[in-house]
Amino acid sequence: MFQQHQYIEYLLSTPFNYTCTNLADHVADVSHDQVNRFLRQRVLPPRQLREVVAPLLAEASGGFLLVDDSVQDKAYSRFIELVKHQYSGNVGGLVRGIGLVNLVYTSGRAGDFLPVDYRIYAPQDDGKTKNDHFREMFQAVVATEQVPARTLLFDTWYASADNLKVIHRADWTFFTTLKSNRLVSVTKETGWQHLDAVPEPAGGWASGQWVRLQQVPFAVKLFKLVAATGDIDRVITNQPDPDLTAEVVAQTQTTRWQIEEFHRSFKQLTGAERCQCRRARAQRNHFACCYLAWVALRQKARQLGQTMYQLRHHLFADYLTRELQNPRIPALLPASA
């Protein structure tokens, strides 16, 4: 019987072709139908990822949880069941693809992060929004108490009043950006105004400004961060520390971008976008194996003191060396060369 570990090891070993046919062509006594049945009939839940990562998180102390979504590009797929038009931040518009909502733990150190949980965004199947998926994953983290973090970092998409209240009630801290047209109140006298209309506080933005958000029953501190390019981020937090500074807030924003590093490596190193199976269950199982493949690659790279990219590319170094020394397809040149 074809086993899950065989599929994961195939994802880690194949250089470019991630099809069931290619796998069957390179494994003795395994047929295309066996691989296809494995993907179509097994049920591999996100719980598998949580179980694999939990012992690794036990070694960590302190850190952050990051949440964001990404789209697995399926621009030329017309018959895959989970594919739909959805917004992609990388493209800046609608694309055809499969959406994933990811929860990622980071210690805060560069490159030190692990996926904790994920959900497939398929409202046509389960009626759930991305925010529904986020709250479900976050509440699971709170219930199990297996993640050594008490701070969540996310962008404006997940900064709804419902999300902020759920996080605050769980006694967690959040840092998130807001859109400039979000309504806030500095004082009762000023009333509600758009975020971009809030005047600079008397002491400047270095220490922030306490404000109220509509439908949020607690105060948050607002910071205005201006990048060297002139881009402006308006960040709020429920962190009660009176000595919190804009510099610390800016550091949390830098940390939040680690989830984009995860998205990039997940796509480039596991073949997440390359499965051609049409059935939704097959795609779900493919993604489940891709997450486990990413963790296996990350752990092996740490053991060897390499980056994940170095380890993945070194798998094919011996092949290239042999071919260059004794090429099976020699070059043809004119006699005058």
Side-chain angles (χ1 to χ4, degrees):
M1 180 181 295
F2 186 75
Q3 301 293 324
Q4 183 180 4
H5 73 87
Q6 292 175 281
Y7 190 78
I8 294 173
E9 289 162 359
Y10 168 63
L11 297 177
L12 291 167
S13 302
T14 183
F16 53 83
N17 188 330
Y18 293 84
T19 63
C20 298
T21 302
N22 187 55
L23 192 163
D25 286 345
H26 291 83
V27 181
D29 302 322
V30 170
S31 68
H32 169 275
D33 289 342
Q34 287 177 300
V35 182
N36 197 260
R37 278 197 300 272
F38 162 76
L39 288 174
R40 287 190 292 110
Q41 296 178 5
R42 290 287 300 275
V43 177
L44 307 177
R47 182 178 66 253
Q48 286 192 335
L49 174 64
R50 298 198 298 271
E51 291 173 356
V52 168
V53 170
L56 306 178
L57 292 178
E59 304 170 3
S61 59
F64 306 88
L65 268 185
L66 318 175
V67 63
D68 201 1
D69 52 87
S70 68
V71 179
Q72 311 305 298
D73 184 22
K74 298 287 185 181
Y76 303 105
S77 302
R78 294 291 178 267
F79 304 104
I80 295 177
E81 293 177 350
L82 291 175
V83 173
K84 65 186 294 292
H85 281 97
Q86 50 196 299
Y87 180 81
S88 168
N90 287 337
V91 176
L94 292 178
V95 298
R96 284 180 56 81
I98 300 175
L100 298 176
V101 183
N102 292 307
L103 199 62
V104 172
Y105 167 81
T106 175
S107 67
R109 297 187 298 272
D112 188 20
F113 49 83
L114 273 168
V116 174
D117 206 347
Y118 71 94
R119 293 294 184 273
I120 294 175
Y121 174 56
Q124 67 275 25
D125 290 349
D126 55 26
K128 294 182 179 180
T129 67
K130 294 176 183 178
N131 285 294
D132 291 332
H133 287 308
F134 160 64
R135 287 192 293 271
E136 181 179 298
M137 291 189 292
F138 173 66
Q139 288 165 344
V141 166
V142 172
T144 58
E145 297 184 340
Q146 291 181 323
V147 178
R150 301 289 293 182
T151 302
L152 268 163
L153 312 179
F154 46 93
D155 66 11
T156 58
W157 186 275
Y158 296 93
S160 69
D162 287 341
N163 288 351
L164 301 184
K165 287 186 285 189
V166 166
I167 298 166
H168 193 73
R169 281 197 295 263
D171 199 26
W172 276 56
T173 298
F174 61 77
F175 289 83
T176 180
T177 53
L178 293 181
K179 291 183 178 179
S180 61
N181 61 354
R182 190 78 172 257
L183 290 176
V184 301
S185 173
V186 178
T187 65
K188 289 184 179 180
E189 291 71 28
T190 59
W192 297 107
Q193 58 190 140
H194 286 152
L195 199 59
D196 58 1
V198 175
E200 182 173 335
W205 287 109
S207 299
Q209 167 74 60
W210 288 103
V211 299
R212 290 274 184 173
L213 294 175
Q214 276 194 334
Q215 301 180 334
V216 175
F218 52 87
V220 295
K221 183 167 277 191
L222 169 67
F223 290 85
K224 181 179 178 181
L225 306 179
V226 183
T229 59
D231 293 337
I232 297 174
D233 276 339
R234 295 171 177 85
V235 181
I236 60 163
T237 179
N238 63 337
Q239 166 64 263
D241 183 1
D243 297 324
L244 183 66
T245 65
E247 182 179 1
V248 173
V249 175
Q251 291 173 356
T252 67
Q253 290 301 96
T254 300
T255 300
R256 181 172 66 84
W257 281 103
Q258 289 188 20
I259 199 167
E260 298 299 336
E261 295 180 45
F262 168 73
H263 290 161
R264 181 171 60 253
S265 60
F266 182 72
K267 292 180 180 182
Q268 294 178 355
L269 300 176
T270 69
E273 297 179 319
R274 305 293 289 278
C275 180
Q276 298 178 12
C277 296
R278 295 184 179 184
R279 295 295 179 87
R281 172 48 55 193
Q283 288 288 337
R284 288 179 182 274
N285 287 337
H286 172 73
F287 287 129
C289 290
C290 286
Y291 281 98
L292 296 176
W294 190 96
V295 175
L297 186 64
R298 184 257 195 188
Q299 289 304 103
K300 190 65 175 179
R302 286 170 69 90
Q303 291 173 11
L304 297 176
Q306 300 177 355
T307 70
M308 295 173 66
Y309 291 92
Q310 287 172 332
L311 176 58
R312 188 71 165 81
H313 295 155
H314 284 174
L315 292 177
F316 314 110
D318 291 341
Y319 158 78
L320 181 57
T321 299
R322 288 194 303 269
E323 285 300 306
L324 292 175
Q325 290 174 347
N326 187 25
R328 283 174 286 183
I329 307 175
L332 292 179
L333 293 173
S336 59

